Amino acid sequence: MNMKKILIITALAAAVCLLGGCDFFRSLAGRPTSKQIRAKQERIELAERLHQQRLDSLKQVQKQISDSLAILDSLRTAKESLISTRQLAGGGKYDIPYRYYVMIGSFSSKDNATRQAARAQEAGYPATLIPFRNGFTAVGCCPSDDLTEVYASLQKLRAEEFCPADAWILNNE
């Protein structure tokens, strides 16, 4: 009888090895195989990574909004000017490529505006001449689409000799 048990056990062991181990019995029982389990784990891990990326992106947007609100508060409490483009020539969004500009002067004479722009450019700041509806020409520096960045530029520009104390930010929206 011992020999019969040994033969049965050996036959079962051989069958398990030849038929693929536990996966054979799992498939007979209607259970997922190890390959299916691995595939499911990979799908779950991918879904978790994508979800984390969305969460990280959301946190980044929330930080940008928070930073912008903090800058707006700083502008308000410091009695800084944030002027929109309603006053620009043409009455609407002027054809300038960035949302924000640090305005370092507004001149009735375009020649004076050109000289101020040249001083800014000599100091290493990009400058743009921007005409206003009232006939004045303003000089915009440090263009940016980020309010935090343009506020930092305003603070930096104020330390420059050519920059007036009443420099302000143009909001081109």
Side-chain angles (χ1 to χ4, degrees), residues 89-155:
K93 184 175 181 177
Y94 182 66
D95 188 25
I96 48 181
Y98 293 94
R99 182 168 180 185
Y100 301 108
Y101 288 80
V102 175
M103 306 306 288
I104 58 168
S106 181
F107 304 89
S108 60
S109 165
K110 189 171 182 176
D111 291 337
N112 290 342
T114 303
R115 279 193 289 279
Q116 177 71 337
R119 283 192 288 270
Q121 289 176 340
E122 286 172 14
Y125 297 98
T128 304
L129 296 180
I130 302 171
F132 277 76
R133 200 181 328 173
N134 63 3
F136 279 66
T137 302
V139 180
C141 284
C142 304
S144 177
D145 289 323
D146 181 4
L147 183 58
T148 305
E149 186 178 308
V150 81
Y151 183 70
S153 296
L154 173 65
Q155 301 304 320

Side-chain angles (χ1 to χ4, degrees), residues 14-166:
V16 166
C17 289
L18 293 174
L19 296 174
C22 294
D23 284 342
F24 173 73
F25 292 109
R26 285 183 180 164
S27 63
L28 283 178
R31 307 292 293 169
T33 63
S34 57
K35 183 178 178 182
Q36 292 168 327
I37 291 171
R38 251 183 275 119
K40 177 73 174 189
Q41 286 173 331
E42 289 171 2
R43 287 193 304 271
I44 290 171
E45 289 170 0
L46 176 62
E48 287 174 350
R49 280 194 307 274
L50 292 174
H51 180 68
Q52 188 59 47
Q53 288 173 351
R54 285 190 295 270
L55 288 176
D56 292 345
S57 176
L58 180 60
K59 285 179 185 176
Q60 185 178 15
V61 169
Q62 287 173 331
K63 183 178 180 341
Q64 289 172 342
I65 290 170
S66 175
D67 290 348
S68 292
L69 290 174
I71 293 299
L72 288 172
D73 282 344
S74 295
L75 286 169
R76 189 185 71 236
T77 56
K79 306 235 186 299
E80 301 289 350
S81 296
L82 180 65
I83 306 295
S84 72
T85 55
R86 289 187 308 261
Q87 299 169 2
L88 293 178
K93 184 175 181 177
Y94 182 66
D95 188 25
I96 48 181
Y98 293 94
R99 182 168 180 185
Y100 301 108
Y101 288 80
V102 175
M103 306 306 288
I104 58 168
S106 181
F107 304 89
S108 60
S109 165
K110 189 171 182 176
D111 291 337
N112 290 342
T114 303
R115 279 193 289 279
Q116 177 71 337
R119 283 192 288 270
Q121 289 176 340
E122 286 172 14
Y125 297 98
T128 304
L129 296 180
I130 302 171
F132 277 76
R133 200 181 328 173
N134 63 3
F136 279 66
T137 302
V139 180
C141 284
C142 304
S144 177
D145 289 323
D146 181 4
L147 183 58
T148 305
E149 186 178 308
V150 81
Y151 183 70
S153 296
L154 173 65
Q155 301 304 320
K156 184 177 176 186
L157 274 167
R158 285 201 171 141
E160 296 288 343
E161 189 175 305
F162 65 87
C163 184
D166 62 347

